[in-house]
Amino acid sequence: MAEIEKRLEELGFKLPKPFAPPPGVEFKFDLVRMSGGVAYVSGHLPTDGAEVLIQGKVGADLTVEEGYEAARLTGLSILASLKQELGDLDRVTRWVKALGLVNCAPHFSKTPAVINGFSELILELWGDAGRHARSAVGASELPFDVPVEVEAIVEIV
């Protein structure tokens, strides 16, 4: 078993089905686009295939802790797409950058605490190679009323 998938299992995580559009929606973009030794990962949501796993606005409908969990689920969705594209998550050698968007109530300012759910998952799996530059931005709306969207840039072999 590949090292990253082994760590996922040890941590009690299971990869969801790769992100898929809900009925009536068609993707006009690649979930993962590779160029040279870099993979650019499109914005992902907390989904299992086309099923949205959590909805709501952090700071109104959801707590910071629930937003954190949504960010972890979003990370797992990203990993499922990377596995689908690369065949093996061990091909990811370094996480470079992540952009996290949080669907939040007005005046909510704890977006970094929410996106930590994503970042801490990546660090648990990749260790120092999981350290990445990051932005955590508040948004008034996100697709399908999800609380979190994350996109990333990773180095691959």
Side-chain angles (χ1 to χ4, degrees):
M1 177 181 287
E3 188 62 33
I4 296 301
E5 289 187 62
K6 182 179 167 188
R7 284 193 201 127
L8 272 167
E9 187 176 289
E10 289 169 356
L11 293 169
F13 293 114
K14 182 181 174 199
L15 289 180
K17 290 178 259 180
F19 188 29
V25 176
E26 182 181 342
F27 285 163
K28 303 287 185 181
F29 58 90
D30 293 331
L31 291 174
V32 178
R33 182 73 169 171
M34 294 186 291
S35 179
V38 177
Y40 297 87
V41 183
S42 293
H44 278 63
L45 313 174
T47 60
D48 187 353
E51 178 188 357
V52 173
L53 299 174
I54 186 168
Q55 293 179 297
K57 199 172 283 292
V58 182
D61 310 312
L62 303 170
T63 65
V64 171
E65 294 77 19
E66 290 168 321
Y68 177 99
E69 181 58 27
R72 283 179 87 82
L73 292 170
T74 301
L76 292 172
S77 179
I78 286 174
L79 297 181
S81 290
L82 282 168
K83 180 172 171 57
Q84 178 178 261
E85 183 67 28
L86 303 173
D88 183 353
L89 290 174
D90 287 353
R91 288 188 58 198
V92 175
T93 58
R94 181 182 317 267
W95 289 77
V96 178
K97 173 83 167 94
L99 169 62
L101 302 168
V102 179
N103 180 4
C104 57
H107 310 294
F108 180 84
S109 63
K110 296 178 181 169
T111 55
V114 171
I115 299 303
N116 280 347
F118 167 81
S119 294
E120 291 174 7
L121 171 68
I122 300 308
L123 288 169
E124 287 177 82
L125 295 169
W126 271 269
D128 196 50
R131 295 188 62 76
H132 51 275
R134 187 189 87 182
S135 299
V137 179
S140 62
E141 299 293 332
L142 287 176
F144 315 111
D145 194 34
V146 297
V148 173
E149 180 173 352
V150 178
E151 66 177 50
I153 301 170
V154 299
E155 290 180 2
I156 58 171
V157 292

